[in-house]
């Protein structure tokens, strides 16, 4: 589903004629996001940078795809209380983190400054040093503010509650003591703040 959504956005970007007469808007924007994880997640807070491509359907509904990377972040086993099976402390590890996300945004109003509601889902790629990479599905929901600065230039701020399941044992160092994560099936959370500054084009950019 996420792959199809991204392909639709890419097709629109490569074919401007698709926008003509259809009431569609294309938006291209660099993005940055900061995620503050709950302690039980077992990861340090991270800042992601990347870009997004959005397709607006009229004034109120937008489909968005984005890719962002945080580079290397640290594990936080000590803060989360995650230990080896024998009760000893686990050495922290380094994790290469990136994400691929799709969202649906609902703009509440026609003014230049209007609130938005957002629902998102995607894949968080985690590649621990010395271990096999893990892919975790995440979902998010929240809202923010959409700023129409000019007919072709805008800004956006979103705050979302992010939920995922993470097996912390897959983040440990290669050769670490056995450590089974009893809470690997538990849904864990984080708070995400995303900001972007984009360029818009298409029939609906004046809406």
């Amino acid at each position: 589903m996420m792959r199809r959504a991204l392909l639709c956005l890419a097709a629109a970007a490569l074919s401007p004629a698709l926008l003509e007469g259809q009431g569609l808007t294309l938006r291209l924007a660099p993005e940055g996001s900061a995620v503050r994880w709950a302690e039980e997640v077992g990861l340090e807070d991270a800042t992601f940078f990347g870009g997004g491509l959005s397709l607006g359907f009229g004034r109120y509904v937008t489909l968005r795809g984005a890719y962002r990377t945080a580079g290397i972040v640290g594990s936080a086993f000590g803060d989360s209380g995650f230990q080896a099976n024998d009760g000893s402390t686990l050495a922290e590890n380094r994790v290469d983190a990136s994400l691929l996300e799709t969202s649906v945004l609902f703009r509440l109003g026609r003014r230049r400054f209007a609130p938005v509601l957002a629902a998102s889902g995607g894949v968080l790629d985690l590649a621990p040093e010395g271990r096999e990479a893990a892919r975790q599905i995440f979902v998010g929901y929240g809202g923010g503010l959409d700023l129409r600065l000019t007919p072709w230039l805008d800004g956006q701020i979103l705050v979302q509650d992010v939920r995922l399941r993470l097996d912390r044992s897959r983040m440990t160092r290669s050769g670490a003591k056995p450590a089974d994560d009893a809470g690997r099936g538990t849904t864990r959370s984080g708070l995400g703040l995303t900001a972007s500054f984009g360029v818009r084009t298409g029939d609906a950019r004046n809406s």
Side-chain angles (χ1 to χ4, degrees):
M1 181 66 180
M2 183 173 62
R3 184 173 296 178
R4 290 181 181 178
L6 292 174
L7 287 175
C8 288
L9 290 173
L14 295 174
S15 305
L18 293 177
L19 304 177
E20 298 297 330
Q22 302 298 319
L24 302 177
T25 303
L26 187 68
R27 178 180 187 262
L28 181 64
E31 296 184 354
S33 63
V35 180
R36 181 167 185 167
W37 300 111
E39 285 187 353
E40 62 269 18
V41 173
L43 290 174
E44 291 182 346
D45 300 338
T47 302
F48 293 79
F49 294 100
L53 185 65
S54 303
L55 185 62
F57 299 86
R59 298 184 179 97
Y60 305 115
V61 181
T62 299
L63 177 65
R64 167 177 156 269
Y67 172 81
R68 300 189 293 276
T69 179
I72 300 297
V73 300
S75 64
F77 302 138
D79 291 341
S80 69
F82 183 52
Q83 299 177 323
N85 292 343
D86 63 7
S88 61
T89 301
L90 289 167
E92 303 294 351
N93 200 5
R94 290 156 49 90
V95 182
D96 191 350
S98 62
L99 62 85
L100 188 64
E101 177 187 31
T102 58
S103 305
V104 179
L105 307 177
F106 301 93
R107 196 174 199 269
L108 306 179
R110 300 179 59 178
R111 296 183 178 181
R112 290 179 60 190
F113 304 120
V116 293
L117 298 178
S120 65
V123 177
L124 177 65
D125 282 319
L126 299 171
E129 194 172 89
R131 299 291 300 274
E132 184 178 349
R135 287 191 164 187
Q136 306 296 142
I137 302 296
F138 69 89
V139 296
Y141 60 90
L145 188 63
D146 186 59
L147 318 172
R148 300 289 170 86
L149 305 175
T150 72
W152 55 272
L153 190 64
D154 68 8
Q156 200 171 80
I157 299 173
L158 296 174
V159 178
Q160 293 193 85
D161 184 10
V162 181
R163 302 295 179 97
L164 80 166
R165 294 179 179 178
L166 178 63
D167 185 347
R168 292 170 293 183
S169 67
R170 300 184 67 181
M171 301 297 108
T172 59
R173 286 187 176 185
S174 176
K177 292 182 179 181
D180 297 323
D181 188 356
R184 60 183 176 275
T186 301
T187 299
R188 299 181 169 114
S189 64
L191 183 65
L193 171 65
T194 302
S196 63
F197 193 66
V199 176
R200 305 168 72 236
T201 185
D203 278 359
R205 69 177 184 173
N206 293 312
S207 60

